[in-house]
Amino acid sequence: MSVAQRSMLSFLRSRTGWIGIDIGTHSLKLAQVESVGGQKQIAHALVIPLPAASHLTAESVRTGWLTRALRTALPCFRGRTAACGVSMSVTDFRSMNIPPGSRNERREMIAQELIDGGIATAEAIEFDFWDGNPKEENAAVNVLAVSKSFVTQVAEAIQGAGLNCRALDGSPFTLARSLELMNHDSVVSTPRAVLDWGHRVAHLAIVVDGLPAFSRVLKDCEVGPLVESIAQGLGLSLEDSCELLSTYGVPDPQGTHSEFSEIQELVVDMAAELFDQLTVEVDKTLQYLGSHRPELAPTELVLLGGGAAIRNAEAKLSQEFNLPVMRWQLPLRRMVGMTGRQPPVELFANAAALSDLGCEP
Amino acid sequence: MKPHLNLLPWKLRCQMLLRQRLWQWCVGWSALALGFAVLLGWRWHGLVRAQEHLSDWQRRASTVQAIDTRNESLRRQIATLTARLGRYGHLESEQIGFQLLATISQSSTFCAGNIQVQKMTFKHVQVADTTVAKDAAPNAKAPPMRDVRKLLLNGVAKDNLAIAQFVSSLRDSGVFQSVDLKSSLGNTVADVGSHTYHVECTF
């Protein structure tokens, strides 16, 4: 087969997903997945730091920063259909025991529970739910709720940028799909843990058969304070602090002495509290699962988000958790709009999983 | 679609879907209108080209057309002349003229010089074809016409007897289909009685 024929075949087999927009507390991540010859890869990716004084609130989004940021990013992407995801810090996740019924009946019961729980009035929230264990009839129902005014503002901001937002996905499902994406769309029936180690929130999910069976926000485990403390302690900017973490990181537990050992020792001292807290939270979760739902005990953990970019973090966490830990990986074809340092691909896991919604299964 | 949640408010989803459908329809109809406009333009261009070709061919055929018009005019002239020849041509034959004169002269001889032919007129008239008219239904259209040649004789005679003999002699000659005495008026000139007659012979 000639090169031209191969190129034509490759072009015909190429399928581009939607524009995935991951709205984080620290930055806006955009990615577009494409399938070339049956292999998924990130075709375009972009990180836009959130402007100063911008927050994930309806009032802040109303000022137009999201629309402006998306407008500047759009020329780098193909198509105008998007899927969006928001940080777990702006959502309310909880499990409920709801009697069996039709989907509408259960929806009404959940709405009543949320109102009784004092979260908000029915008009002020938007929620979706899924069964914690589809095989069990009376299993708990997982509910993800978010402020209606906030999602409305987000959707209108995306629309204002000229995009057609098809879905605003919940983080647990996004994590589950990112895992599938990493494994070339193959659904694994053994439970696996995904840790989205974000700037303002750390979110752990257990994925079985491509669905989130368990989800938990780990308290005080976000990577943001570590970045800020390094920046303050060493007199660096936040960007340089992130760069230091990804370039030098922490010492490799199995590694030998390297030329970066001095800096790595400095970083690990500053990050000790964070790693300890993370270990405590993950251990607590694993113990809970082991005693209450042993079928969900994970066989491995996949690390993604800003924290995953810390060099040797996976090796250190693997030693702490006593569990194989790996970074989320997917081939990245082109990082757009970046002139200097290239952000780690782990940052785009959620955006890629959102983009993958537009790819045919 | 792969499993996912959707936290977009239902109302917003409906609005987006409606907007998307409107846009899709708009694009569809625009494409259709554009296609129609292109087709119209193409057909219009074809029409203009056909008109140009027609003008060109008309210009080229103008000489042939002039010849054709002249031919038509000549054809009409020929038809007129042929009809005229059919009508009067046989008169040009001297034999028929002599035969008529001989018949009239012979008939006047029977009158022993008591009759004189002063004027002889040949006339061609069209009369209704009575044979066809009798067979036709009462409410039928007007019967077809046929050509009849008539010889009108005017003159004076000494008396009615001479006129009767003359008419009888003309009938007996067998040359004419019918011989009708149309009028006979008596008058006196210088104390001498005479009769002016008018005879119509159909042949």
Side-chain angles (χ1 to χ4, degrees):
Chain A
M1 193 184 285
S2 70
V3 176
Q5 282 175 324
R6 228 176 278 169
S7 305
M8 178 60 78
L9 203 63
S10 168
F11 174 76
L12 289 173
R13 282 178 183 168
S14 169
R15 296 283 184 278
T16 309
W18 294 340
I19 301 171
I21 305 169
D22 177 19
I23 304 172
T25 48
H26 182 244
S27 60
L28 194 67
K29 278 90 67 180
L30 289 95
Q32 195 162 31
V33 167
E34 69 176 358
S35 172
V36 181
Q39 295 292 315
K40 295 267 176 75
Q41 64 177 23
I42 299 176
H44 310 282
L46 179 67
V47 186
I48 304 171
L50 257 57
S54 58
H55 306 284
L56 295 189
T57 58
E59 291 73 26
S60 177
V61 175
R62 200 176 286 132
T63 59
W65 61 264
L66 182 57
T67 307
R68 284 193 293 276
L70 289 173
R71 273 188 191 149
T72 54
L74 273 188
C76 311
F77 294 90
R78 285 169 66 182
R80 286 293 175 266
T81 309
C84 173
V86 290
S87 166
M88 276 296 275
S89 63
V90 293
T91 57
D92 182 87
F93 174 75
R94 57 183 63 201
S95 290
M96 292 179 185
N97 286 312
I98 299 293
S102 69
R103 188 162 172 85
N104 282 341
E105 286 168 351
R106 293 165 85 199
R107 193 175 172 81
E108 282 178 21
M109 286 188 273
I110 291 166
Q112 195 56 50
E113 284 281 330
L114 289 172
I115 293 162
D116 293 345
I119 292 176
T121 59
E123 291 77 27
I125 54 159
E126 193 62 42
F127 69 90
D128 208 345
F129 64 98
W130 73 101
D131 288 315
N133 186 359
K135 291 168 189 165
E136 200 179 316
E137 198 174 319
N138 289 321
V141 172
N142 295 318
V143 181
L144 197 70
V146 65
S147 156
K148 190 181 266 185
S149 63
F150 174 67
V151 288
T152 304
Q153 280 303 321
V154 167
E156 284 178 358
I158 293 170
Q159 212 168 351
L163 288 170
N164 177 26
C165 183
R166 292 284 294 271
L168 200 150
D169 198 11
S171 191
F173 275 80
T174 311
L175 290 182
R177 280 200 316 279
S178 69
L179 210 55
E180 265 186 56
L181 200 57
M182 184 182 154
N183 291 310
H184 310 295
D185 282 342
S186 58
V187 176
V188 180
S189 55
T190 53
R192 282 182 302 166
V194 193
L195 176 61
D196 182 5
W197 201 4
H199 204 82
R200 287 278 174 265
V201 69
H203 177 207
L204 181 77
I206 307 291
V207 180
V208 183
D209 293 330
L211 293 171
F214 179 84
S215 178
R216 184 173 174 241
V217 173
L218 305 180
K219 196 182 169 191
D220 298 330
C221 292
E222 56 272 16
V223 81
L226 172 65
V227 174
E228 284 158 13
S229 66
I230 289 174
Q232 274 185 350
L234 301 178
L236 303 171
S237 68
L238 289 176
E239 287 74 25
D240 289 339
S241 178
C242 289
E243 178 67 12
L244 186 136
L245 283 170
S246 61
T247 309
Y248 303 104
V250 292
D252 185 357
Q254 279 90 43
T256 53
H257 185 82
S258 74
E259 55 183 318
F260 305 139
S261 296
E262 204 174 319
I263 303 174
Q264 286 173 336
E265 288 300 332
L266 184 71
V267 171
V268 83
D269 284 346
M270 294 175 117
E273 197 182 338
L274 173 66
F275 276 95
D276 289 346
Q277 177 65 18
L278 189 63
T279 307
V280 168
E281 287 294 320
V282 171
D283 279 346
K284 260 201 267 183
T285 308
L286 295 179
Q287 277 171 17
Y288 169 81
L289 289 173
S291 59
H292 291 86
R293 298 183 70 182
E295 75 278 7
L296 295 185
T299 53
E300 62 182 13
L301 187 142
V302 175
L303 203 58
L304 54 95
I310 300 172
R311 187 172 177 166
N312 298 326
E314 73 277 17
K316 183 167 174 56
L317 290 176
S318 182
Q319 194 184 38
E320 301 282 348
F321 301 157
N322 199 20
L323 196 71
V325 177
M326 63 183 78
R327 289 162 184 256
W328 186 87
Q329 287 297 323
L330 199 70
L332 173 60
R333 184 158 67 88
R334 185 168 163 246
M335 185 76 69
V336 291
M338 299 303 296
T339 51
R341 291 164 297 198
Q342 186 164 306
V345 75
E346 299 89 338
L347 268 184
F348 302 103
N350 284 325
L354 289 164
S355 170
D356 194 39
L357 271 178
C359 292
E360 288 300 316
Chain B
M1 206 186 289
K2 292 178 179 176
H4 70 286
L5 298 180
N6 202 347
L7 294 168
L8 284 176
W10 185 249
K11 196 178 163 186
L12 207 65
R13 272 189 254 178
C14 290
Q15 280 178 0
M16 284 177 176
L17 190 69
L18 185 71
R19 206 172 297 178
Q20 193 190 358
R21 288 286 176 272
L22 278 174
W23 173 246
Q24 284 169 345
W25 276 103
C26 207
V27 168
W29 280 109
S30 301
L32 207 65
L34 191 69
F36 184 70
V38 168
L39 185 71
L40 203 69
W42 181 59
R43 296 302 297 251
W44 176 256
H45 179 67
L47 180 69
V48 168
R49 283 192 65 186
Q51 279 180 338
E52 281 171 2
H53 281 158
L54 182 66
S55 308
D56 190 36
W57 281 109
Q58 277 179 338
R59 198 168 53 249
R60 284 189 204 179
S62 57
T63 50
V64 179
Q65 209 169 10
I67 292 168
D68 195 42
T69 310
R70 185 175 163 74
N71 281 350
E72 185 61 30
S73 167
L74 290 172
R75 203 174 291 122
R76 277 201 296 272
Q77 277 185 352
I78 289 167
T80 309
L81 290 173
T82 306
R84 188 179 172 81
L85 190 67
R87 197 176 293 161
Y88 301 109
H90 64 284
L91 292 178
E92 290 172 8
S93 169
E94 287 180 352
Q95 282 190 352
I96 293 172
F98 284 139
Q99 192 179 0
L100 284 174
L101 282 173
T103 305
I104 293 162
S105 177
Q106 186 74 32
S107 297
S108 65
T109 310
F110 283 114
C111 301
N114 291 330
I115 198 160
Q116 184 185 9
V117 178
Q118 292 177 327
K119 190 181 176 185
M120 190 169 70
T121 311
F122 180 77
K123 196 166 71 173
H124 184 272
V125 292
Q126 283 203 324
V127 296
D129 192 349
T130 50
T131 55
V132 178
K134 279 174 189 172
D135 298 338
N139 57 351
K141 290 179 181 176
M145 307 300 281
R146 68 185 174 96
D147 286 338
V148 173
R149 291 181 290 271
K150 290 193 172 181
L151 186 67
L152 306 174
L153 298 170
N154 294 304
V156 291
K158 188 179 175 183
D159 48 28
N160 279 328
L161 180 62
I163 294 168
Q165 282 176 335
F166 180 59
V167 169
S168 175
S169 176
L170 286 171
R171 280 175 186 156
D172 292 342
S173 68
V175 174
F176 305 106
Q177 279 181 357
S178 66
V179 179
D180 297 321
L181 177 62
K182 290 292 181 185
S183 66
S184 172
L185 297 170
N187 51 12
T188 305
V189 179
D191 294 333
V192 179
S194 65
H195 283 78
T196 307
Y197 66 90
H198 174 67
V199 174
E200 191 178 273
C201 306
T202 306
F203 67 101

